Structures are given as structure tokens and as C-alpha cells.
Amino acid sequence: MSAPYAKLPAWADYGLIPVINLAVAFVVAGFVVLLVGENPFRAAAVLVEGAFGRGQGIAFTLFYATTFIFSGLSVAVAAHCGLFNIGGEGQGYIAGLGIGVVCLAFDSVLPWWLTFPLAIIAAAAMGALWALIPAYLQAKRGSHIVITTIMFNFIAASVMVYALVGFLKPANSMAPQTRTFLEGAQLPKLNWVIELFGAKIRSAPFNISFLLALAMAFLVWVLIWRTRLGYEMRTYGHSSKAARYAGISEARIIIIAMMISGALAGMMALNPTMGDQHNVALEFVSGAGFVGIAVALMGRLHPVGIVLAAILFGMLYQGGAELAFEMPAISRDMIVIIQGLVILFAGALEHMFRPYVQALFASLSPRSVGMEAIKGKGA
Amino acid sequence: MAQAAIELIGINKSFGAVRANRDINLEIVRGTIHGIVGENGAGKSTLMSILYGFYQADSGEIRVGGQPASIKTPNDAIALGIGMVHQHFMLVDNFTVLENVILGAESDALLKRSITKARSELERLEREYGLEVDPDAIIEELPVGLQQRVEILKALYRGAEILILDEPTGVLTPAEADHLFRILKQLKEQGKTIVLITHKLREIMAITDTVSVMRQGTMVATRETRKTTVEELAELMVGRRVLLRVEKGEAEAGDVKLAVKNLTVKDSRGVTMVDDISFDVRAGEIVGIAGVAGNGQSEMLEAISGIRRAVSGSVMLDGKPIDLTGAADPGELRDRGLAHVPEDRHHVGLVLAFEENENSILGYHDDERYLKGPFLDIDAIRNDARDKITKYDIRPADCRLKTANFSGGNQQKIVLAREMEQDPGVLIVGQPTRGVDVGAIEFIHKRLIAMRDQGKAVLVVSVELDEIRSLSDRILVMFAGRIVGERGPEATEGELGLLMAGVERQEAAE
Ligand SMILES: Nc1ncnc2c1ncn2[C@@H]1O[C@H](COP(=O)(O)OP(=O)(O)OP(=O)(O)O)[C@@H](O)[C@H]1O
Ligand SMILES: [Mg+2]
């Protein structure tokens, strides 16, 4: 309450500030590019071109975005309940186990449209289960959820190694991964949608789980703002005392919110496994769970913002890969630096430019800006 | 001599459609204590926030010591010798007094030297103004009265000549308030200028030299305190005559609705706060619990409403017993007809970040009326909120406004409306009118009496003795976690005061 921040009009809050943050991230990244002796403008052009220039790029951007939507939603659901779920990575990874088992069991007997719902359930259930244990420990024992979810990321990684070099692996194979799924566990591509607009796509993994991600974004919106459960979660997220007063059980709401969060994190595993590689391999989540934190922050914990932020990060992944290919001086690691800068400015330093923008608005039109600073002070 | 310390000329400030300050002119004379009163939402805090640089006026001029001043941030205000004591203290809880005082005003890169300098300066201030506080005490271990003193010291340390206090006594016990006033008088004698915002007209009469009245964003009058009366001020504030003491008929007490039995409560450190108390509240009566703050009233309320676990004890609600030691659930008590207006509306009774309509279902959000299956029935919720806004005259009348943007009195009405409109059998209310203006006090008191007359059992806990005396049909006095006496409404203030101080404890315990 006491932060002396003025209230901005919504368009500035949700539009202007993210754009400024992004612009600054790109300017700083530009200097890094300059440092290695490349032309930052050309680099930017390559990046955007790579992500959106051709149908191929767009398909890849949306493919990456799909995973980030799930992980961003996962972080947001927990955050609305005042919980910081850093365990999306592990929850997504362990979901691969459920997906693997379902796909290996049914891909030869069922068509994809029957395997897919089963796999969704398995992924969500595994993710939820993996979130349940830290949630239970937080609710009943007060073990901090940030610590326990991080630890569960490591445990998930070990369990997956165990499973992938053990029972999930075909007997005669050396590679720590499942066999390739048959057609009954391969998700249909959505590339044709992009091709409708006249673009050409050689091959890209953009698939139907993107639609599932959009559906989940809508459902999360409904959950948070239109259901009794969401109301209880938000109440607890804002004030645990008010929640207690309102008769909301602390243990119950923590556990439910974390399980929903874990289920969403689990679903992110569908995209790279059934949608792209058609197997479950080591490390297939590759950091997407952590990117979800930045996506959720940048998207202001709102599903619409999260979808947009996920597409932005999809663009960075896809455009970045293209950039590393086109400009050899810019290595793969440089791309990670640029992504890091975006996370830094858009996520971690989200409030850095806010006071200046507010001061600017205040001097332009004092009327539109009311500080929240001392609100309630005189009460 | 009568020189202006501060002049506000033609100040205007709007928040969207709400005109919080319109064309305010105010002159504050150096070396005086100047009171500002007005209804909730009249714009007092807004005006002071403009003076202190939290807000920018839309138009108007501020002069400090005769010179036009541009105050854009609190730092500008501090540089001009203006200090502010907020009602919600802005202290770092786990810092010492000394560390809090120098925070942000460190004079040196090396903390050590700042601290030595500050210590001697602090000691001088404490001596000069009778503001004793141990410089090495940790803030969170100090009672609120002392925390407030630290706020005052902070302002003085920064060279404040003009001190603004926004409702400083809302959180103080009467003894602490008395001490504060002694300090303020001393500051005045040393030539400081003080602006005091309060809802307690008695305090205005006791300590101020001049008093200004605000109403709906305008400054309606300024009076010399000794030439005015409480009645006149109340009327100026509200724009009509106000009943400072509501009239009520005889209580017709019926069956016992709420029976508290052998309640013992300990706080988180294991100190016994409520010590084996039992009492009844009957249908159709108001029972008031009097007592100096901190004698276990808060813990008792929390235990009865199920928020805090009791060590022992139970409540009989309408004849059915509920154990308070186990996992007592506020939701279950509520279902059994117990409504609770908590003492702390900011953290318990409301979620400030919610829209008004969302708060108007808090605790009743699982009621069928507000739901369609698992979904919230948004239309029903908003219509219901609008009805309550009309019925309780909550201003501004906007159920989509963020609750934090309502003034204190209106926030209290939001809670009261929610709890009273559920038509509960038993209503328990903590500090019904803390921080609430005289007009709203009258309204709230009338409502409470109407509840009583409908045959509800009402339990009121308040540190305001006046309030207890004018509302209650029976008065129970709490001291050190026990009920040390029961009196009728005709009990004198002196008599209750002695009980509250524990003087008659021995005899009363018989
Ligand atoms: N940041 C804000 N945004 C919107 N409206 C606001 C804001 N701050 C204050 N208001 C409105 O301005 C009006 C004046 O509020 P203010 O807090 O100054 O009243 P007050 O006289 O201090 O009341 P109280 O006695 O309850 O403390 C109220 O109607 C309030 O709702
Ligand atoms: Mg105020």
C-alpha cells in the first residue's frame, strides 16, 4: 500500500510499460551485439525476420509459445493464490512419465484423438501429484513452497533418468528415451492454418496442443475471476487473515491451487513429446518451466497477457536460433544473454521505469493520476 | 505574532469523477494547533497529502512561511520543514528506534558516524519534548503509542517545524492519547505548528486553538476553538443536526442466544490473554465490553468468531454448543447465525485490493444466492452490492471501485452492511466506529439498536467508553483477560474507569 506509485490509465499500465521495458532490453542487447562486432540493426532484423518472416518461422514461434503458455498459466494460477510455484520445470518433466506410459500403451490400438485425452489426463495428473507434495508440506508443515518446489525439480530429474534408462526405454536401445510413438500418439500439425494465409512451410512442429493451450488460458480466466474457487484463491492470495475470517481453509486452498498449477505445468509436456519429437527423451522440458515465470510476470498474471508474452518468448527462441545460424559471431550463448535481458527488464525490473512514466503522466495531466500511496491512511 | 506558517490557496484535486478537494483555502497560524474535522471522505487526508507531496493538486497554490512553494514529493515537503505522522506507521519493524529515525537521512556513507551523531541529537529531542523512547529498542517490540512517538521523532529529526498528524489517536489507548496531547502542547510551546486531523470532537475541544471543518471536498468553516461547541462542529460537518448520543428504548431481553463458557485464550507467545471468562448475550439486548485496549478483548473476539484457536472454552449458539479449542471454523459459526464485524477491517474484514462488490460477499461467497453452480453469479453479486450501497449510503456509490479507494468510514459501512444484511441471530462487533465520522457513528449506532430491537443478540467491544455507555444495555468490563465487573447503562464514567483500571478488581471479582 505504501509504495508511492501513481495509478496509470490501463493502456499505459498494460501496453506502454511492457513496450518500454522491451525496448530497453533490446537496446542493451544491441550494445552486446555491437561488442562482438556485429550490426545490431541487422541482428534485430534477422531475429524478427526469423520469427515472423516466413511461414516456417511463424510455425516454430507458435510451437515454442504453446509450451510457454502452459508454464506461464501454471505460475499465474499459483501466484493468484499468493504462492510462488518454481516447480513447473519438474512438474512438466515428471508429466513426461505419464505421457510416456499412456502413449506406449495405446499408440498401437487407439487413434490420436483418443490417446490425446488420455495423455492430457495423465500429464495433468502427474504434474498435479508432483505439486501436491510440496503443497501438502507447505499447508501442514509450513515448509516453504519455493524451497520444496525447487528440490522437487531435482527429484523429478532423477526419477526421469531412472525411468528413461530403465523401463521406458526399449530393451535393445542405448539411448535414454522411449521408442518413437506410432501414429496413434502423434498430434496433428496445425501448419496448414498458417499455409491458408499463403505461407509455405517445409516442416514445423506447430500442432494441435496450441489450441489446448488457448482453451486452458480461457479456462484459467474463468477459474480466477468467475468461480467461487478462484474467488477463494484470490482472497487467500491477498490476505491470509481475510481468508481465515471468511472461513476459507488455508490447507485446502493451498493444495487445490498448487494442484491446478501443477496440472497446467504437466500439460506443457504434451507439446514437445506428442507434438514434436514423438518420444519422451531426457531433458525434453529444457527450461520452459522457468521461462513460465517470466511469461507470467510479463503477462501481469492475466491469461491474455500470458498468451502475448508467450508468443514474444516464442519469437525470441525461434528468432534467436535463426540469428545464431545467420551470424556466426553471435553464438548460441549470446542468444541466451539476449533472452536473459528481456527477462531481466520485463520481469525482474518490471517496475524500474514505472515511477518515471508516472511522473510524466502526473505532469501531463495530474487529473488522471491518483497516487495509491496514502490510501487508507486516514481510515 | 499571527504569522501564517502555511497558506493553501484555491486547492483543487479530483480522482476521476470524485472531487476530493474543491477550491480549498486554509491558513494555518505559526505556533498553533490547528484541527481539521470532517466526514469520512470529506477530503482531509487528500488535502494533507497534497501538502506533504504525495499528491499533486490539479490547481491552486501552497505558501510556506509566506513564500510560494512547489511541493512535488515528500522530500520537498521535508526540506520545507513539513513533517507527517501517518496513521499506519511507516517504520521498519525489525530495526531499532535509532535506525528508523536516521533511515533515509543518514548524513554519512559510514553508518557508524551517522549513528553516533544521531544518538546525541535524538537524546536532545527526547529531553526537549518529553518524547522518551529507548533508542535501541526494536520497533516491533514497542506498543503502538511508542511507535507513534518514533514517527514524531523521525519528523523532528528531519527538522520539521510543521507537523501533520492524520488521526493519530485512532490506535491509541486513552492514556497513550493523553500523553500524546501533552507532547503536542509541549511542541507548540516550543513554537512548532501542528495540524491535527481527528474524528473525535472532544480531542478538538481539548487541544486545538483553531478548527476547520470540511464537507464533501469543500472547506465550510474555520472557528476559534474556544468560541465553538461540539454540537456546532458536528452540525457543520454533516450539514444537519447530529444526535451525538442515540436514543433508544428499553431492551426486551429474551432467551440466551450466545453463551460463552470458560473461554481461555493465549497469544502466540503463550501469554494468557483471556482468562477463563463466561458470559451470556440474550436476544434483544446489546452487551458492551469495556476495557482499555490490550486487556484481551481482541483475542476474545477472535476466539468467539473462530479465527483464533482457544485453549479452552466453547460457545453455545442458539442452544447448540460449539467447541472453540479444536478446528473451529469461522464458516461454520457463520452458518449458525453468528455475524462478525472484526476490529481490523483492513486486514481481516476486507480485501483492500478487491472491488467493493467482491468484498460485499466475503465470508458469504458460498451462499447459493451468489452462485450458479461453481460459478459466481456476477449479476446477483453486483445487484446485491448496489442495494447495500443505497441502503447504507456508502460513498462513492460505485460497486466496481477498488475497496482501498473508499475512505475509512465507508469501508466500515461496507463491512457492516455485509454482516447486518445477512440477518444473523447474533452479531459481534469490534470497534464499530473506529476512524468513523460523527454522522456515520450516528448511523451505525442506530443500525445496531435496530438490530437489537429486531430481537438479535448484539455484542459490542469498544475502547470508546462513550460508545459503550450509549449503546449497551449491560456493560461488562474487561481487565487483564478477566471480566471484572458488570454494570447497567447508568454507570458513571468514573465508576467504569476505575473498573477498567483494575482498581476495584478484588471487590468486583466476588
Ligand atoms: N487514490 C484515490 N483514488 C480514487 N479516489 C480517491 C483516492 N483517494 C481518495 N479518494 C476519494 O477522495 C475522497 C476524499 O478522500 P480522503 O481520504 O481525503 O477523505 P478523508 O476526509 O480523509 O476521510 P476519512 O475521514 O475517512 O479518512 C473520497 O471520496 C475518496 O473515496
Ligand atoms: Mg483520512
Side-chain angles (χ1 to χ4, degrees), chain B residues 245-254 283-286 448-456 469-474 488-490:
Chain B
R245 195 176 168 137
V246 283
E247 283 143 25
K248 63 179 205 286
E250 279 293 302
E252 287 172 32
E285 72 168 350
I286 298 180
L448 288 172
I449 289 167
M451 291 286 284
R452 178 198 80 162
D453 293 342
Q454 287 164 29
K456 317 290 186 200
R469 288 175 63 223
S470 74
L471 276 179
S472 314
D473 301 307
R474 282 193 295 137
E490 69 291 340

Side-chain angles (χ1 to χ4, degrees), chain B residues 276-454:
Chain B
D276 193 28
I277 63 174
S278 302
F279 61 88
D280 294 343
V281 185
R282 292 171 177 278
E285 72 168 350
I286 298 180
V287 172
I289 307 260
V292 176
N295 276 287
Q297 302 97 312
S298 309
E299 289 77 7
M300 180 197 76
L301 272 185
E302 287 176 0
I304 297 178
S305 57
I307 293 177
R308 183 189 283 266
R309 196 170 283 208
V311 176
S312 74
S314 63
V315 285
M316 292 275 260
L317 253 183
D318 227 359
K320 283 166 236 117
I322 301 177
D323 183 25
L324 292 178
T325 58
D329 170 15
E332 187 197 339
L333 288 156
R334 198 172 273 126
D335 290 343
R336 297 257 201 109
L338 179 108
H340 173 208
V341 177
E343 292 185 318
D344 182 349
R345 59 177 168 255
H346 277 172
H347 299 108
V348 181
L350 294 168
V351 177
L352 290 179
F354 275 5
E355 289 176 7
E356 194 273 345
N357 66 82
E358 293 177 298
N359 268 312
S360 81
I361 61 167
L362 187 71
Y364 301 94
H365 55 273
D366 43 12
D367 195 314
E368 279 168 25
R369 278 174 302 159
Y370 305 129
L371 296 174
K372 276 187 203 149
F375 300 102
L376 299 174
D377 186 344
I378 298 285
D379 289 334
I381 293 171
R382 289 189 187 152
N383 286 332
D384 184 81
R386 282 187 205 106
D387 287 346
K388 289 175 189 156
I389 285 177
T390 318
K391 197 160 169 192
Y392 287 77
D393 189 26
I394 295 166
R395 280 180 267 176
D398 176 4
C399 75
R400 303 284 319 267
L401 190 68
K402 208 170 114 182
T403 311
N405 290 343
F406 285 86
S407 72
N410 284 299
Q411 289 172 349
Q412 182 73 342
K413 284 190 188 173
I414 295 171
V415 181
L416 279 163
R418 177 182 73 212
E419 299 301 321
M420 288 182 170
E421 287 303 298
Q422 300 302 323
D423 197 29
V426 178
L427 178 68
I428 62 177
V429 190
Q431 316 301 343
T433 57
R434 177 176 278 172
V436 164
D437 69 56
V438 281
I441 290 177
E442 180 192 19
F443 177 85
I444 291 169
H445 285 182
K446 277 188 178 160
R447 285 274 162 185
L448 288 172
I449 289 167
M451 291 286 284
R452 178 198 80 162
D453 293 342
Q454 287 164 29

Side-chain angles (χ1 to χ4, degrees), chain B residues 197-326:
Chain B
I197 298 179
T198 177
H199 285 293
K200 299 178 189 166
L201 296 178
R202 264 205 203 182
E203 296 176 350
I204 291 288
M205 301 310 288
I207 184 172
T208 63
D209 300 298
T210 319
V211 51
S212 297
V213 183
M214 289 186 73
R215 184 164 79 222
Q216 291 177 14
T218 59
M219 191 59 86
V220 289
T222 295
R223 296 271 189 278
E224 257 180 79
T225 307
R226 59 192 165 81
K227 290 190 185 151
T228 184
T229 60
V230 170
E231 286 75 19
E232 187 196 18
L233 290 176
E235 196 174 332
L236 282 169
M237 277 165 67
V238 186
R240 61 174 168 83
R241 286 199 60 90
V242 183
L243 291 173
L244 293 174
R245 195 176 168 137
V246 283
E247 283 143 25
K248 63 179 205 286
E250 279 293 302
E252 287 172 32
D255 299 339
V256 172
K257 283 271 187 178
L258 173 77
V260 177
K261 292 226 165 68
N262 302 105
L263 182 67
T264 298
V265 187
K266 293 190 173 166
D267 71 4
S268 52
R269 281 171 293 176
V271 180
T272 303
M273 298 304 290
V274 179
D275 192 0
D276 193 28
I277 63 174
S278 302
F279 61 88
D280 294 343
V281 185
R282 292 171 177 278
E285 72 168 350
I286 298 180
V287 172
I289 307 260
V292 176
N295 276 287
Q297 302 97 312
S298 309
E299 289 77 7
M300 180 197 76
L301 272 185
E302 287 176 0
I304 297 178
S305 57
I307 293 177
R308 183 189 283 266
R309 196 170 283 208
V311 176
S312 74
S314 63
V315 285
M316 292 275 260
L317 253 183
D318 227 359
K320 283 166 236 117
I322 301 177
D323 183 25
L324 292 178
T325 58

Side-chain angles (χ1 to χ4, degrees), chain A residues 68-101:
Chain A
F68 300 150
I69 293 174
F70 285 117
S71 58
L73 290 173
S74 160
V75 173
V77 166
H80 276 291
C81 195
L83 300 163
F84 193 8
N85 179 11
I86 312 199
E89 186 78 9
Q91 291 145 16
Y93 199 7
I94 206 82
L97 190 60
I99 295 173
V101 169

Side-chain angles (χ1 to χ4, degrees), chain A residues 7 370-372 375 377-379, chain B residues 15 18 20-21 38-47 55 166-167 199 395-396 401 405-410 435:
Chain A
K7 239 173 49 200
M371 293 222 188
E372 295 212 331
K375 220 23 243 162
K377 285 286 113 65
Chain B
F15 297 106
V18 180
N21 285 164
E39 283 184 288
N40 292 120
K44 307 177 295 289
S45 297
T46 304
L47 189 64
Y55 294 132
D166 193 349
E167 288 185 52
H199 285 293
R395 280 180 267 176
L401 190 68
N405 290 343
F406 285 86
S407 72
N410 284 299

